[in-house]
Amino acid sequence: MASKNAKYLPLLFLYILGIFDLILAVDYTVTNNAPTTQGGMVFANQIGEDYAQQTLDSATNFIWQIFQENTDDDRKDVNQVDLIIVPSLPPGVVAETSNNQIQYSSDFLGGSSGDVKTDFAGVIYHEMTHVWQWDGNGQVGQQNRGGLIEGIADYVRLKVGFIPDGWAQPGDGTSWDEGYSTTARFLDYCDSLMSGFVAQLNKKMKDGYSDGFFQDLLGKSVDQLWSDYKAKYGQ
């Protein structure tokens, strides 16, 4: 005969899961260090800390899906991400990420002429990808493939749909590792050849990096894939 308390077990299980989720949750902090600048006021009045934290959290969950990282063992060990609105960054730099801290230029926010929230979210998805993606234990930089790192970040932005004006169109570019939207478009092509390609590439980049990863996953060298990609779009 079943215990009279058995009916409470599902509720207890859900309660434990809830506690477990809280333990594993990533904390997000948002600080506006440029409150008196035009961009700082744009952030305070048109974006706000609540929306910023929601965007950081939604970006994390979206990136985990893109990278097919379903367990903590698959992911980087990151417990907290800090977003700081700073008065300025080097010329042309909208935001930069280091040590799980995102610095976002208030100069860019102050000069934004489009949909401020959409532009903000697009940058956040890009920068949050840098928080979570693997970089081959530094080998990507050693092999001068930094464009691939930026391309993967823009690939995430492409897949979520936050595409700003001026982005490369499919087939554009002179090199597969040109970076940013050019590489993002190429990676999207590679993903069309094998669903989940970017996720598998990112997994391979956990411990190292080689251009041969493209051959391993798609059966062609990255240079041949680039030639095929350009030919597809008549370039």
Side-chain angles (χ1 to χ4, degrees), residues 76 133-141 149 202 205-206 208-209:
K76 283 186 176 180
Q133 70 188 150
W134 299 106
D135 69 350
N137 279 331
Q139 290 185 32
V140 173
I149 294 294
N202 182 65
M205 291 167 64
K206 184 174 182 178
Y209 176 74

Side-chain angles (χ1 to χ4, degrees), residues 15-220:
Y15 177 72
I16 293 172
L17 279 181
I19 294 175
F20 190 62
D21 285 342
L22 288 174
I23 293 172
L24 297 179
V26 180
D27 290 326
Y28 305 99
T29 71
V30 178
T31 306
N32 186 355
N33 281 348
T36 61
T37 66
Q38 182 177 348
M41 289 185 283
V42 167
F43 176 80
N45 297 326
Q46 299 186 43
I47 298 172
E49 291 187 12
D50 287 346
Y51 178 79
Q53 287 187 327
Q54 291 169 13
T55 305
L56 290 165
D57 185 54
S58 62
T60 286
N61 286 286
F62 185 80
I63 292 161
W64 286 348
Q65 291 178 31
I66 289 290
F67 287 166
Q68 298 177 4
E69 295 180 335
N70 301 315
T71 70
D72 280 355
D73 289 339
D74 297 329
R75 306 165 186 156
K76 283 186 176 180
D77 184 15
V78 176
N79 297 314
Q80 179 172 313
V81 179
D82 304 313
L83 170 64
I84 303 174
I85 309 302
V86 297
S88 64
L89 289 171
V93 177
V94 175
E96 59 184 15
T97 300
S98 178
N99 296 323
N100 308 327
Q101 181 186 95
I102 301 171
Q103 294 192 346
Y104 201 121
S105 171
S106 69
D107 284 347
F108 177 76
L109 284 170
S112 180
S113 58
D115 184 329
V116 173
K117 280 193 170 182
T118 299
D119 289 345
F120 172 83
V123 173
I124 291 299
Y125 272 72
H126 177 106
E127 297 302 325
M128 283 297 292
T129 304
H130 290 325
V131 170
W132 293 110
Q133 70 188 150
W134 299 106
D135 69 350
N137 279 331
Q139 290 185 32
V140 173
Q142 294 169 13
Q143 297 181 39
N144 296 317
R145 293 303 191 210
L148 177 58
I149 294 294
E150 298 297 342
I152 291 174
D154 262 4
Y155 171 81
V156 169
R157 185 171 182 174
L158 172 66
K159 301 313 286 185
V160 78
F162 294 137
I163 305 172
D165 293 337
W167 255 40
Q169 295 301 307
D172 285 354
T174 59
S175 173
W176 72 269
D177 62 342
E178 192 171 313
Y180 297 99
S181 57
T182 295
T183 300
R185 296 288 192 185
F186 172 64
L187 293 172
D188 196 35
Y189 164 76
C190 291
D191 206 77
S192 74
L193 301 177
M194 186 190 81
S195 179
F197 167 79
V198 171
Q200 294 305 312
L201 178 63
N202 182 65
K203 283 183 173 67
K204 281 181 167 290
M205 291 167 64
K206 184 174 182 178
D207 300 313
Y209 176 74
S210 167
D211 286 352
F213 290 167
F214 287 82
Q215 179 82 41
D216 295 342
L217 292 170
L218 296 176
K220 292 183 179 181

